[in-house]
Amino acid sequence: MTNHVEMFCGCLRLVPRGGGKFAPLGLVGCSVLLASCAMGPDFASPDAPAATGYVSERRLAATASATTPGGNAQNFAAGNDLTGTWWALFHSRQINAFVEEAIRNHPDIEAAQFALRAARENALSQQGSLFPQVSASGSAERTQASTTQNGVWPGQTSLYTLYGASVSVSYALDLWGGTRRQVEALQAQADYQAFKMEATYLALTANVVTAAITDASLRDQIAATEEIIKAETDQLGRIQHQFDVGAISKSDVLSQEATLAQAKATLAPLQKQLAQQRNQLMAYLGRLPSQDRGEHVTLSELRLPRKLPVSLPSSLVRQRPDIRQAEATLHQATATVGVGIANLLPQVTLSGSYGASGPERLFTPTTLVWDAASSVSQKLFDGGALYHTKEADVATFEQDLSLYKSTVITAFQNVADSLRAIQFDAEALRAQAAAEKATADSLAMAVEQFKSGAVPYANVINAQQSYLNARVSRIKSQATRFTDTAALFQALGGGWWNRQDETPAALPRTNPGYFAGPNRTIQEAM
């Protein structure tokens, strides 16, 4: 009669074709059947919040535009998916090269890969507890024995060898699924490490893009400041000449000198920021500061994405690595509660051995020995240790559930903050661009009026200061629009689901050798 396997209460059982009584699967099969019905709550992923959007408006309008590079309007495409290489949307080869180098070289990426592999190996190790534990032993003993004759030594001696060999099997029946819950908890820990790796990728790529844009902004601010210093230096020469011929007073010369000194004073702090920003960028790339080769991005070469994908709120909880980490932690806590409950119940172990022991040949009918046994253990009194351990696991589950909710709220806030920043910083750039043009026109007019004697030189000084401030503010606002866009992609999860971030380092090694150590030495890794 042919048999088939069917499920019963989540457990496997072997049933004869056409019906019949339950057919046992054997020792291991029965334990699997019993173990499948694990104690404790079964984990299910939390539902997404019942939200239809990230902000109060049903639909976000396109942003304002400005007549300056990086000032184009941006539209929000609700429900559109993110690309896995979102940084490529800035159309900068240098940014692409920076991100690729960071992913390839930064040690945090490599460490995250190995952390994932370690978690997977731990889960595989715990899975071994689901199977019978088999051990073998052998022995050989050389013995000399003496006999006495009429109570007088020495007597005859005999020399012989005793041999022994046996195989022992021990199997802890996972009646209540405690071991399976432990495996489940470690698998959840591996999931946590997988999403922690994605969070590492997301943070690094976003930091590289932001650092490159900030670097470009500081370079433009320095260039603008140097232009103004040169213009004011030239102006000081003309003022000095006018003073020399008696056309103006000494106070005008002193005022121009003070203005030039103030402009020069703003240059050193910008240069310091740029130097430190370069050091930070080199660190993101996995380089030392002395390995800076000078590659950089300019704001004028960047392109602001005109269409911004905005994931549906129901999708965000599956996309954000930090939410998935919190979910994996909650899963681990759920499984741990099952372990605690299973530990309160009787534990059953089956054991047996088969072997031989004798002075000559082994495994003959006269030398064979075997035994089989079963045991049941149950703690009758432990001062409440197991109970309170289980209760602590329950409290940890409740804590992790609350932390999961907090992570979701923070994630939605991040997206909302990014959307608002994109909206209002577009308005700010338009205003700053208008202010720069107005102050430039005002400065040109003040210079012409001063030349004709219509206004005092103080008007020129004030116009110069206003123009310098407006130009630097416009550059900062221009860079902010790019960094706001990067922050939105980061807040939405970075598109990791549309690329492959795992490397062979994250997977258990294949055929490394049973006693193999690390693949590389410390010196080789440095």
Side-chain angles (χ1 to χ4, degrees):
M1 181 180 293
T2 305
N3 299 324
H4 71 280
V5 177
E6 69 175 30
M7 299 297 295
F8 177 72
C9 188
C11 308
L12 287 174
R13 67 176 182 177
L14 192 63
V15 179
R17 287 279 186 197
K21 294 184 178 180
F22 173 81
L25 292 172
L27 182 63
V28 176
C30 289
S31 64
V32 172
L33 182 149
L34 291 170
S36 297
C37 301
M39 302 299 294
D42 293 325
F43 177 76
S45 297
D47 294 331
T52 57
Y54 299 101
V55 293
S56 56
E57 295 93 327
R58 292 180 60 87
R59 182 178 179 182
L60 291 172
T63 66
S65 61
T67 56
T68 184
N72 56 271
Q74 292 180 293
N75 295 282
F76 301 99
N80 281 23
D81 196 15
L82 278 69
T83 175
T85 55
W86 55 267
W87 51 87
L89 297 177
F90 293 114
H91 296 282
S92 169
R93 291 184 178 180
Q94 189 57 65
I95 283 184
N96 295 344
F98 279 153
V99 172
E100 291 170 3
E101 182 178 355
I103 292 174
R104 184 174 60 253
N105 291 339
H106 201 283
D108 284 357
I109 294 293
E110 191 175 47
Q113 299 281 353
F114 285 117
L116 176 55
R117 188 176 95 186
R120 286 170 169 168
E121 292 286 6
N122 286 332
L124 291 172
S125 174
Q126 185 61 39
Q127 283 181 6
S129 301
L130 296 171
F131 298 90
Q133 306 300 300
V134 182
S135 60
S137 64
S139 65
E141 180 181 351
R142 188 72 169 168
T143 303
Q144 176 178 295
S146 299
T147 60
T148 61
Q149 293 181 346
N150 300 322
V152 179
W153 295 89
Q156 295 180 348
T157 61
S158 62
L159 191 64
Y160 58 91
T161 303
L162 291 175
Y163 298 98
S166 64
V167 176
S168 301
V169 179
S170 177
Y171 188 54
L173 291 180
D174 194 20
L175 292 176
W176 319 114
T179 303
R180 287 189 179 277
R181 290 301 192 192
Q182 289 176 340
V183 172
E184 182 183 350
L186 288 173
Q187 289 172 339
Q189 177 64 23
D191 291 340
Y192 174 89
Q193 290 296 340
F195 292 115
K196 185 176 181 180
M197 180 195 69
E198 297 298 352
T200 302
Y201 270 82
L202 178 58
L204 180 62
T205 53
N207 286 339
V208 168
V209 173
T210 301
I213 294 171
T214 303
D215 176 272
S217 173
L218 288 169
R219 289 177 184 276
D220 279 6
Q221 292 176 53
I222 289 173
T225 303
E226 289 175 339
E227 284 182 27
I228 292 172
I229 289 174
K230 182 179 183 304
E232 291 183 352
T233 301
D234 293 342
Q235 182 69 3
L236 177 60
R238 288 190 290 271
I239 294 297
Q240 183 66 50
H241 176 72
Q242 289 179 319
F243 170 73
D244 292 341
V245 298
I248 59 174
S249 65
K250 182 66 175 177
S251 62
D252 291 333
V253 177
L254 294 176
S255 295
Q256 181 61 26
E257 288 178 345
T259 300
L260 177 59
Q262 290 174 357
K264 288 181 177 180
T266 63
L267 185 60
L270 289 173
Q271 291 171 329
K272 182 188 76 171
Q273 291 180 51
L274 177 61
Q276 293 176 340
Q277 187 65 45
R278 293 298 299 180
N279 294 339
Q280 181 65 75
L281 179 58
M282 292 304 104
Y284 289 144
L285 300 180
R287 302 188 205 170
L288 300 177
S290 59
Q291 295 172 323
D292 189 345
R293 298 191 291 268
E295 318 99 302
H296 63 274
V297 175
T298 59
L299 288 181
S300 59
E301 77 177 68
L302 298 179
R303 297 294 178 267
L304 195 66
R306 294 182 179 276
K307 189 175 182 180
L308 294 175
V310 181
S311 304
L312 295 175
S314 58
S315 300
L316 186 67
V317 296
R318 312 312 304 163
Q319 296 178 181
R320 286 269 298 215
D322 55 344
I323 295 180
R324 298 298 296 273
Q325 283 180 260
E327 180 183 324
T329 300
L330 182 60
H331 187 177
Q332 183 178 18
T334 304
T336 303
V337 171
V339 174
I341 295 174
N343 288 339
L344 293 170
L345 299 169
Q347 308 300 307
V348 179
T349 302
L350 302 180
S351 61
S353 65
Y354 178 84
S357 177
E360 296 178 354
R361 291 183 301 171
L362 295 178
F363 302 107
T364 63
T366 58
T367 61
L368 291 178
V369 294
W370 63 269
D371 69 77
S374 63
S375 65
V376 179
S377 64
Q378 171 68 56
K379 283 193 176 182
L380 300 179
F381 179 76
D382 63 355
L386 290 177
Y387 168 77
H388 289 296
T389 298
K390 184 266 298 180
E391 285 297 293
D393 294 336
V394 171
T396 300
F397 164 81
E398 297 290 355
Q399 175 192 14
D400 290 337
L401 179 57
S402 297
L403 291 175
Y404 175 85
K405 295 177 182 178
S406 177
T407 303
V408 171
I409 291 173
T410 301
F412 275 71
Q413 178 193 350
N414 292 159
V415 177
D417 287 347
S418 297
L419 293 173
R420 292 306 191 195
I422 289 173
Q423 285 181 305
F424 293 114
D425 286 338
E427 296 281 356
L429 177 57
R430 181 166 65 178
Q432 291 294 347
E436 180 184 17
K437 183 179 184 304
T439 54
D441 293 343
S442 177
L443 174 60
M445 181 180 295
V447 171
E448 292 301 322
Q449 290 176 335
F450 171 72
K451 289 179 180 178
S452 64
V455 297
Y457 192 68
N459 289 30
V460 177
I461 299 297
N462 292 335
Q464 287 175 333
Q465 288 287 356
S466 297
Y467 175 65
L468 171 61
N469 293 336
R471 186 172 179 183
V472 171
S473 295
R474 188 267 303 164
I475 294 171
K476 290 181 179 179
S477 295
Q478 186 180 358
T480 298
R481 291 208 63 187
F482 291 107
T483 57
D484 286 345
T485 301
L488 176 63
F489 284 115
Q490 183 179 15
L492 291 172
W496 58 266
W497 54 95
N498 286 324
R499 62 176 187 265
Q500 178 57 254
D501 290 334
E502 284 189 22
T503 68
L507 301 174
R509 291 190 293 178
T510 57
N511 302 320
Y514 199 75
F515 300 103
N519 294 336
R520 56 183 179 171
T521 65
I522 295 176
Q523 289 73 20
E524 290 171 343
M526 298 303 291

